[in-house]
């Protein structure tokens, strides 16, 4: 999980962490403070609030807004405490920002937003977007998104992003002025089109395949985990019945009464402990979900590469065919089948003037074509270069973060076991007094 | 099972000067020597009830005596049930269990015995003990057939669970001061199969048993008028206890079900992590490690579930059956009291009749004839009344004996119940602790491996 510098500890709220583990949590990001926005400002999504208002079709709707707080870093480190700047944003605005980033930086693996709707829920969790637990987890996810963007070597210097954080009004207008909307539409169309690339960069093909696998396996893991969480909840809660029955039984016993009664209390405590345990596990699930969505961002970049490569190949193909046409025209031989060629065969040759004109046109087209190929080649190279840099950065980040997630999962399990040991030892003492 | 079998031998014991064998046939199934020992210790323990004077000590105090002796931890008989084997005949297939006995008791011909017994034989023994001691509490046997879970009769787990329960049953009998001296118990432990079969054929015939059942039903219909408060309290306790223990049984079974379902889901987690590790490079090792950890936790959970099923549930289940046994015992005691009350009433009525008749008729006849058929009738009535009084006395004895037997066995049972349930729950708690400790170790080893790995690679600074 990304970190906001000296502020919040990572989301894993385990109070049983050893000091070294805590410290590790603080450092568990790939923040390159030297190059990113985070060097200059602290960012957090501090609160969430419900609002009601009229929407685009003039209907009443209830929605949630999130408070973004920023503060320049330097001033804070000098000991003075400058006022926090803050503004409210709703989820749809975050979505707009992300779309803008996707279009403007197609080579970047753009950090994902927390899920729009609650998925992979197990029965106790509400799938309702208004549910306070869901809102809280979304708040954390949105903060994480901002921190990730702010620590990205390229994205963090984007002006629109800066405005998103600092200008409550006028941000959207400035963004639309960049004209990204037009690009967005064509990008969407292109990405959804099917086309075959002849010479894709192998690395990107592999990355795309990896993205597919990652998405599939994390989905499966989240599903299985949710079902297991559901069942574990059941196991713990049924123990609460012991509490009730022991209590009732203790009422009819003389010597056994006390032991039974107190054992019953421990059974109640055991049953209640599962709520905290599973809430912590949700944080782990959120960390997995982030990478589930990251996999999609990764695949998008690979797809974009295919698109640029395809366009290059199309340009090359076009150029080649034009050159061939010129040759045929010049030498008079028809090697390629063309309607023009057939009709001229059938209805007679063209006049020398007509041929001259055509040749001239072709020359121009070939010149243009060569320009285009050069451009597209450069585009392709450029894209491959910057995309691969970001993919490598992403890989390192992913390896690091997921490893930390696994460690925090282990820590959670240890905490759960320790609680279990404590409860059952207590219960045993009570049983001994029976 | 009725209480009136006690009738015959007690009265014959009363009339004979020789003490032990007859009386003890019902109460203490011992040889002479041991009886004498008991009696010589017992003189101070006579509870001075309005019991028959020819009895040197009341049964209650004799029972108490044996309770003390047992508590003095002089366990002189050890019984085990093991080695189930299946037998196939033309008619049926059944299982026998090996029953081994080691004892220093003198009434046993040798110190070690090994026999094979089937479930039917255990049923027989239980029936005999209940017949002989209607108000003593016999530990329950495992049920004939578990219909609920559709368990196959010859399923391994079923046989093992049953074997354990049979073992517990025999040990409870051996630890009981009265039952362990039962002749039937001794024969059960020592007789060869053929001997046992022929011994089984003896005992009250079908007709006499029918007669007993009829009497019992009649008594039950009559109902008890003046049940002593302590037995009413006992009944209330048994009702409540029964409910609680049934609830505990159900809760525990539900826990087992939920844990099994949890296990099913958990079993898929490990393989998913393993699958993931195949797409990764740097992450492959930690992912495989996590997969291994999850799998190990699965194994521990599986064992945990088995423990609950094998240890806690059978004990709870036995006490559910115990509650039923207690209810039956209280019912039988009630029947004995009802019988006594009925006989009391009948005698009173007879006496009233006699008085009325004699008043009315003696005047009339005496004036006319002198000695008369009436006098003969009176003589006859007198005889009938004497018989009824004797009957009543026996019924009173039986009631007194039943009440005392129940009272002391009740105290005994409560102690045993407390010990059994306490140790079952303590055992369960210990197993749970052990389960969590094992899982804890699994995850700690994962953490440790990640730390050493990280420090080795210089990736993360744990300082």
């Amino acid at each position: 999980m990304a970190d906001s510098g000296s502020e919040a500890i990572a989301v894993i709220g385990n109070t049983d962490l050893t000091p070294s583990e805590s410290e590790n949590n603080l450092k568990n990001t790939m923040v390159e403070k030297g190059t990113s926005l985070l060097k200059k400002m602290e960012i957090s999504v501090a609160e969430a609030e419900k609002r009601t208002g009229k929407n685009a079709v003039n209907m009443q709707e209830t929605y949630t807004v999130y408070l973004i707080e920023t503060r320049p870093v330097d001033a804070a480190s000098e000991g003075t405490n400058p006022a926090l700047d803050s503004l409210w944003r709703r989820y749809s605005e975050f979505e707009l920002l992300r779309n803008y980033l996707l279009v403007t930086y197609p080579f970047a693996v753009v950090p994902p937003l927390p899920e729009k709707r609650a998925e992979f829920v197990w029965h106790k969790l509400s799938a309702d977007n208004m549910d306070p637990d869901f809102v809280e987890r979304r708040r954390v996810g949105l903060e994480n998104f901002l921190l990730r963007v702010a620590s990205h070597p390229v994205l963090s210097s984007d002006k629109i992003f800066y405005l998103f954080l600092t200008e409550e009004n006028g941000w959207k207008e400035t963004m639309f002025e960049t004209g990204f909307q037009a690009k967005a539409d064509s990008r969407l169309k292109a990405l959804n089109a099917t086309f075959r690339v002849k010479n894709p960069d192998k690395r990107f093909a592999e990355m795309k395949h990896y993205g597919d696998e990652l998405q599939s396996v994390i989905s499966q893991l989240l599903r299985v985990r949710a079902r297991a969480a559901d069942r574990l909840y059941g196991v713990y809660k049924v123990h609460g019945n012991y509490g009730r029955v022991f209590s009732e039984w203790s009422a009819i016993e003389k010597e056994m009464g006390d032991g039974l009664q107190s054992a019953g209390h421990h059974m109640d405590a055991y049953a209640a402990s599962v709520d905290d345990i599973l809430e912590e596990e949700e944080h782990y699930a959120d960390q997995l979900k982030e990478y589930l969505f990251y996999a999609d961002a990764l695949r998008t970049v690979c797809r974009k590469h295919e698109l640029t490569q395809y366009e290059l190949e199309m340009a090359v193909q076009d150029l080649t065919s034009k050159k061939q046409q010129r040759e045929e025209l010049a030498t008079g031989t028809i090697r390629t089948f063309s309607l023009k060629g057939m009709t001229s065969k059938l209805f007679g040759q063209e006049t020398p003037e007509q041929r001259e004109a055509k040749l001239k046109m072709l020359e121009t087209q070939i010149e243009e074509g060569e320009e285009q190929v050069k451009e597209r080649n450069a585009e392709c190279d450029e894209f491959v270069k910057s995309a691969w840099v970001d993919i490598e950065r992403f890989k390192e980040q992913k390896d690091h973060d997921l490893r930390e997630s696994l460690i925090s999962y282990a820590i959670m399990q240890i905490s759960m076991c320790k609680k279990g040991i404590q409860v059952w030892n207590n219960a045993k003492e009570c049983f001994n007094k029976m | 099972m009725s209480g009136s079998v006690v009738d015959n031998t007690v009265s014959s014991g009363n009339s004979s000067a020789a003490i032990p064998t007859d009386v003890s046939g019902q109460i203490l199934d011992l040889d002479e020597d041991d009886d004498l020992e008991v009696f010589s210790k017992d003189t101070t323990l006579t509870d001075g009830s309005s019991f028959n004077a020819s009895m040197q000590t009341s049964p209650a105090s004799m029972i108490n005596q044996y309770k003390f002796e047992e508590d003095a931890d002089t366990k002189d008989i050890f019984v085990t049930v093991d080695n189930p084997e299946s037998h196939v005949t033309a008619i049926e297939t059944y299982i026998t269990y090996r029953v081994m006995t080691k004892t220093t008791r003198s009434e046993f011909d040798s110190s070690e015995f090994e026999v094979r017994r089937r479930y039917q034989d255990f049923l027989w023994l239980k029936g005999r003990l209940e017949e002989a001691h209607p108000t003593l509490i016999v530990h329950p046997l495992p049920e004939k057939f578990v219909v609920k879970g559709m368990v196959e009769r010859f399923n391994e787990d079923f046989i093992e669970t049953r074997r354990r329960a049979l073992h517990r049953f025999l040990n409870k009998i051996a630890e009981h001061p009265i039952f362990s001296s039962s002749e039937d118990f001794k024969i059960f432990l020592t007789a060869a199969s053929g001997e046992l079969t022929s011994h089984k054929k003896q005992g009250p015939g079908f007709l006499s048993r029918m007669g007993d059942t009829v009497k019992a039903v009649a008594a039950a219909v009559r109902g008890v008028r003046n049940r002593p408060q302590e037995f009413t309290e006992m009944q209330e306790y048994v009702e409540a206890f029964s409910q609680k223990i049934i609830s505990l049984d159900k809760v525990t079974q539900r826990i087992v079900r939920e844990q099994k379902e949890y296990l099913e889901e958990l079993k898929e987690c490990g393989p998913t992590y393993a699958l993931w590790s195949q797409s990764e490079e740097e992450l492959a090792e930690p992912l495989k490690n996590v997969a291994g950890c999850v799998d190990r936790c699965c194994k521990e959970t599986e064992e945990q579930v088995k423990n609950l099923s094998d240890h806690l549930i059978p004990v709870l289940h036995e006490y559910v059956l115990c509650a039923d046994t207690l209810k039956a015992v209280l019912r039988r005691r009630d029947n004995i009291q009802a019988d006594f009350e009925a006989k009391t009433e009948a005698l009173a009525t007879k006496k009233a009749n006699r008085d009325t008749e004699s008043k009315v008729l003696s005047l009339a006849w005496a004036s006319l004839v002198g000695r008369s058929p009436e006098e003969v009738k009176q003589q006859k009535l007198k005889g009938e009344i004497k018989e009824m009084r004797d009957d009543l006395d026996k019924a009173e004895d039986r009631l007194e004996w039943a009440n005392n037997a129940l009272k002391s066995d009740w105290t005994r049972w409560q102690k045993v119940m407390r010990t059994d349930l306490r140790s079952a729950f303590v055992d369960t708690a210990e197993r749970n602790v052990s389960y969590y400790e094992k899982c804890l170790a699994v995850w700690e080893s994962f953490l440790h491996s990640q730390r050493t790995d990280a420090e080795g690679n210089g990736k993360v600074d744990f300082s």
Side-chain angles (χ1 to χ4, degrees):
Chain A
M1 286 288 211
D3 186 76
S4 59
S6 53
E7 271 211 270
I9 295 183
V11 185
I12 311 127
N14 188 346
T15 52
D16 280 349
L17 292 176
T18 67
S20 64
E21 282 162 11
S22 284
E23 213 183 284
N24 186 48
N25 271 346
L26 272 175
K27 295 181 188 174
N28 69 358
T29 72
M30 294 303 296
V31 175
E32 294 169 50
K33 292 205 174 151
T35 58
S36 72
L37 184 61
L38 276 188
K39 187 192 180 193
K40 305 182 212 130
M41 82 198 302
E42 285 173 13
I43 306 172
S44 70
V45 175
E47 282 168 39
E49 245 181 46
K50 268 206 212 130
R51 297 271 171 87
T52 38
K54 290 252 163 82
N55 66 5
V57 288
N58 217 27
M59 283 176 59
Q60 276 287 94
E61 61 166 3
T62 314
Y63 55 90
T64 313
V65 286
Y66 300 86
L67 184 67
I68 300 178
E69 288 180 347
T70 51
R71 176 180 26 212
V73 157
D74 296 327
S77 62
E78 278 169 23
T80 60
N81 228 7
L84 286 165
D85 269 336
S86 63
L87 46 77
W88 295 92
R89 294 256 184 251
R90 51 186 296 192
Y91 185 82
S92 51
E93 293 181 83
F94 281 84
E95 280 183 307
L96 267 176
L97 173 67
R98 185 163 191 269
N99 279 337
Y100 162 78
L101 291 173
L102 276 171
V103 169
T104 316
Y105 305 92
F107 58 86
V109 181
V110 178
L113 286 171
E115 55 191 355
K116 204 171 168 72
R117 254 160 283 283
E119 283 184 47
F120 304 108
V121 283
W122 54 281
H123 94 273
K124 196 219 162 198
L125 279 192
S126 170
D128 172 20
N129 283 6
M130 285 295 155
D131 178 71
D133 282 335
F134 179 79
V135 167
E136 170 58 18
R137 289 185 16 250
R138 176 175 271 192
R139 181 195 66 74
V140 169
L142 290 174
E143 180 177 286
N144 195 53
F145 167 75
L146 292 179
L147 294 173
R148 291 249 194 236
V149 174
S151 58
H152 190 283
V154 175
L155 299 178
S156 59
S157 5
D158 184 87
K159 179 165 172 249
I160 304 293
F161 175 60
Y162 184 79
L163 290 176
F164 180 88
L165 293 173
T166 53
E167 290 273 321
E168 182 138 24
N169 307 308
W171 158 77
K172 255 187 236 175
E173 286 72 17
T174 319
M175 181 177 70
F176 284 122
E177 274 166 26
T178 64
F180 88 100
Q181 195 64 32
K183 274 198 257 171
D185 295 334
S186 73
R187 170 183 165 273
L188 206 63
K189 205 165 67 177
L191 284 176
N192 285 331
T194 40
F195 47 81
R196 260 196 66 217
V197 181
K198 287 191 201 132
N199 279 323
D201 185 315
K202 240 199 222 147
R203 298 173 300 174
F204 284 83
E206 280 169 12
M207 260 304 122
K208 181 149 164 275
H209 183 63
Y210 169 77
D212 290 337
E213 286 182 346
L214 188 68
Q215 196 170 56
S216 156
V217 86
I218 293 186
S219 300
Q220 190 179 322
L221 188 60
L222 285 169
R223 259 196 312 274
V224 165
R225 191 212 72 86
R227 286 202 302 261
D230 206 13
R231 290 293 162 210
L232 189 67
Y233 183 78
V235 170
Y236 273 75
K237 286 303 176 187
V238 176
H239 279 82
N241 285 322
Y242 271 151
R244 181 181 50 85
V245 179
F246 281 159
S247 179
E248 291 170 9
W249 183 12
S250 73
I252 61 171
E253 297 289 345
K254 285 174 232 127
E255 295 119 346
M256 288 166 79
D258 287 336
L260 276 175
Q261 181 85 305
S262 42
H265 289 147
H266 290 299
M267 290 297 99
D268 286 334
Y270 182 72
S273 69
V274 75
D275 294 313
D276 283 343
I277 290 170
L278 288 178
E279 201 187 291
E280 270 191 60
E281 268 201 38
E282 278 314 308
H283 290 305
Y284 172 69
D286 283 340
Q287 289 166 23
L288 291 179
K289 274 183 205 169
E290 193 194 13
Y291 277 92
L292 176 67
F293 303 139
Y294 252 127
D296 197 54
L298 184 66
R299 280 177 32 217
T300 303
V301 171
C302 297
R303 198 96 171 104
K304 180 66 182 182
H305 157 74
E306 282 180 1
L307 189 59
T308 50
Q309 178 74 7
Y310 178 72
E311 283 172 354
L312 172 64
E313 284 174 6
M314 285 297 107
V316 167
Q317 195 176 338
D318 198 51
L319 182 63
T320 315
S321 90
K322 290 251 156 44
K323 281 188 174 167
Q324 216 155 40
Q325 279 179 37
R326 179 184 62 182
E327 200 192 311
E328 282 167 14
L329 221 56
T331 59
T333 52
I334 298 172
R335 254 181 295 191
T336 57
F337 178 82
S338 73
L339 196 57
K340 238 335 182 3
M342 285 321 291
T343 52
S344 66
K345 262 222 138 115
L346 288 170
F347 298 112
Q349 294 275 359
E350 309 158 301
T351 65
E353 292 82 23
Q354 281 176 322
R355 238 182 49 194
E356 204 53 47
K358 231 186 267 169
L359 262 172
K360 258 227 167 89
M361 200 176 66
L362 270 175
E363 282 296 342
T364 335
Q365 283 179 345
I366 285 173
E367 254 182 64
E368 284 170 4
E370 278 177 341
E371 263 313 306
Q372 198 178 54
V373 166
K374 223 165 70 178
E375 266 175 38
R376 292 212 174 155
N377 221 346
E379 240 182 71
C380 217
D381 280 346
E382 194 57 49
F383 183 88
V384 164
K385 228 173 32 183
S386 24
W388 196 252
V389 164
D390 206 43
I391 285 179
E392 294 271 298
R393 180 205 61 84
F394 167 74
K395 267 204 283 193
E396 264 193 69
Q397 175 197 295
K398 165 201 57 110
D399 285 341
H400 179 276
D401 288 353
L402 286 176
R403 192 154 164 281
E404 289 305 312
S405 294
L406 292 177
I407 288 176
S408 73
Y409 180 72
I411 291 175
M412 266 181 250
Q413 297 304 304
I414 287 172
S415 161
M416 178 175 96
C417 289
K418 283 188 177 160
K419 281 187 202 163
I421 290 171
Q422 191 182 45
V423 162
W424 285 104
N425 267 329
N426 288 339
K428 180 176 136 184
E429 268 181 49
C430 297
F431 287 136
N432 267 323
K433 293 197 211 127
M434 258 167 80
Chain B
M1 306 286 175
S2 79
S4 47
V5 178
V6 184
D7 246 351
N8 315 322
T9 34
V10 170
S11 54
S12 57
N14 284 346
S15 51
S16 74
I19 312 141
T21 33
D22 297 319
V23 168
S24 61
Q26 287 318 126
I27 299 160
L28 309 156
D29 214 332
L30 294 173
D31 282 347
E32 278 185 304
D33 294 342
D34 286 16
D35 280 353
L36 284 174
E37 198 189 316
V38 169
F39 284 123
S40 62
K41 280 182 193 159
D42 242 354
T43 41
T44 49
L45 294 176
T46 326
D47 67 357
S49 62
S50 60
F51 204 66
N52 268 305
S54 61
M55 292 286 292
Q56 296 210 340
T57 49
S58 73
S61 54
M62 273 194 270
I63 292 165
N64 281 331
Q65 177 59 40
Y66 270 81
K67 184 161 74 145
F68 295 145
E69 280 196 313
E70 182 214 339
D71 285 350
D73 205 18
T74 50
K75 192 169 175 185
D76 54 3
I77 183 165
F78 296 86
V79 182
T80 52
V81 177
D82 60 11
N83 194 248
E85 262 174 26
S86 133
H87 298 253
V88 185
T89 70
I91 316 163
E92 55 174 349
T93 312
Y94 60 90
I95 309 270
T96 61
Y97 303 84
R98 178 175 68 168
V99 177
M100 286 209 297
T101 310
K102 290 196 170 75
T103 179
T104 53
R105 288 191 183 168
S106 50
E107 67 271 19
F108 284 78
D109 293 331
S110 123
S111 62
E112 281 188 36
F113 295 91
E114 186 177 316
V115 295
R116 294 208 73 91
R117 295 286 177 251
R118 56 186 290 192
Y119 182 77
Q120 271 181 20
D121 301 330
F122 287 84
L123 268 182
W124 168 83
L125 175 62
K126 175 166 186 265
R128 293 286 292 173
L129 293 174
E130 280 175 343
E131 263 182 68
H133 311 281
T135 57
L136 290 185
I137 302 160
V138 182
H139 196 72
L141 272 177
E143 280 153 327
K144 273 203 173 124
F145 205 124
V146 183
V147 182
K148 230 194 316 184
M150 286 314 288
V151 176
E152 246 185 62
R153 233 172 9 122
F154 303 106
N155 167 276
E156 252 181 57
D157 281 340
F158 176 73
I159 292 174
E160 175 59 17
T161 310
R162 178 177 268 196
R163 181 199 68 76
R164 287 206 192 116
L166 293 175
H167 176 91
R168 276 195 297 274
F169 169 78
L170 282 186
N171 274 282
K172 288 275 194 281
I173 304 297
E175 286 158 11
H176 194 287
I178 308 243
F179 293 145
S180 73
S181 355
S182 146
E183 182 69 22
D184 292 311
F185 183 51
K186 175 158 160 259
I187 290 178
F188 178 91
L189 292 178
T190 61
S193 309
E195 266 182 68
L196 180 65
T197 318
S198 53
H199 176 81
K200 273 194 197 180
K201 293 199 176 121
Q202 300 167 15
F206 178 70
L207 283 176
S208 104
R209 266 191 283 188
M210 272 304 285
D212 296 341
T213 314
V214 169
K215 281 190 207 164
V217 170
V221 167
R222 218 179 291 131
V224 158
R225 302 274 171 79
N226 288 311
R227 190 194 290 129
Q229 179 60 14
E230 66 184 302
F231 294 115
T232 304
E233 279 170 12
M234 235 184 247
Q235 187 168 65
E236 282 166 4
Y237 172 85
V238 170
E239 277 300 325
F241 176 81
S242 172
Q243 278 174 14
K244 300 313 149 208
I245 206 76
I246 286 174
S247 293
L248 284 178
D249 188 31
K250 281 201 188 129
V251 169
T252 311
Q253 289 195 32
R254 175 92 187 273
I255 289 177
V256 165
R257 265 201 315 274
E258 296 281 343
Q259 281 199 323
K260 279 188 178 156
E261 294 191 357
Y262 169 63
L263 190 58
E264 282 311 302
E265 302 300 344
L266 198 62
K267 275 187 179 159
E268 296 195 31
C269 280
T272 308
Y273 281 108
L275 177 66
W276 187 358
S277 75
Q278 287 171 14
S279 328
E280 297 286 345
E281 292 159 7
E282 286 296 314
L283 282 178
E285 184 267 326
L287 283 171
K288 261 190 252 177
N289 208 325
V290 168
C293 289
V294 173
D295 286 338
R296 265 141 71 207
C297 286
C298 273
K299 288 211 170 63
E300 298 301 338
T301 309
E302 213 159 10
E303 213 189 283
Q304 169 66 348
V305 171
K306 192 162 186 300
N307 281 337
L308 266 184
S309 299
D310 286 350
H311 296 103
L312 182 58
I313 289 186
V315 173
L316 290 176
H317 201 58
E318 265 170 37
Y319 275 92
V320 169
L321 297 176
C322 263
D324 288 339
T325 304
L326 290 171
K327 286 182 195 167
V329 163
L330 286 170
R331 262 200 310 276
R332 292 199 285 264
R333 191 219 69 87
D334 276 356
N335 290 346
I336 293 175
Q337 180 167 343
D339 185 58
F340 167 73
E341 284 172 354
K343 291 193 164 119
T344 309
E345 244 181 74
L347 179 61
T349 315
K350 213 36 170 225
K351 280 186 181 168
N353 284 348
R354 176 195 61 186
D355 293 340
T356 346
E357 274 200 35
S358 64
K359 278 206 196 106
V360 168
L361 294 165
S362 63
L363 291 170
W365 280 105
S367 59
L368 288 173
V369 196
R371 195 162 268 275
S372 59
E374 242 349 281
E375 281 190 341
V376 175
K377 197 174 181 186
Q378 279 298 311
Q379 278 295 89
K380 195 163 149 235
L381 256 181
K382 225 176 173 177
E384 280 171 5
I385 286 174
K386 169 141 195 342
E387 211 178 295
M388 283 175 91
R389 181 174 283 116
D390 282 345
D391 244 4
L392 182 60
D393 285 344
K394 279 182 229 157
E396 195 175 0
D397 288 352
R398 204 182 328 134
L399 178 60
E400 172 115 17
W401 178 85
N403 285 347
N404 289 328
L406 176 53
K407 269 191 271 191
S408 54
D409 213 29
W410 172 249
T411 312
R412 193 185 169 279
W413 178 86
Q414 283 194 303
K415 269 218 188 116
V416 170
M417 177 270 283
R418 188 174 165 200
T419 309
D420 281 353
L421 290 177
R422 183 201 307 138
S423 67
F425 282 115
V426 166
D427 180 66
T428 303
E430 277 172 358
R431 286 178 200 275
N432 278 331
V433 168
S434 163
Y435 162 72
Y436 279 116
E437 279 174 347
K438 288 192 199 136
C439 290
L440 180 71
V442 164
W443 289 108
E444 277 189 336
S445 79
F446 170 77
L447 269 192
H448 181 75
S449 76
Q450 294 308 303
R451 284 178 182 154
T452 16
D453 204 33
E455 276 160 14
N457 291 344
K459 270 201 175 129
V460 188
D461 180 18
F462 280 97
S463 57

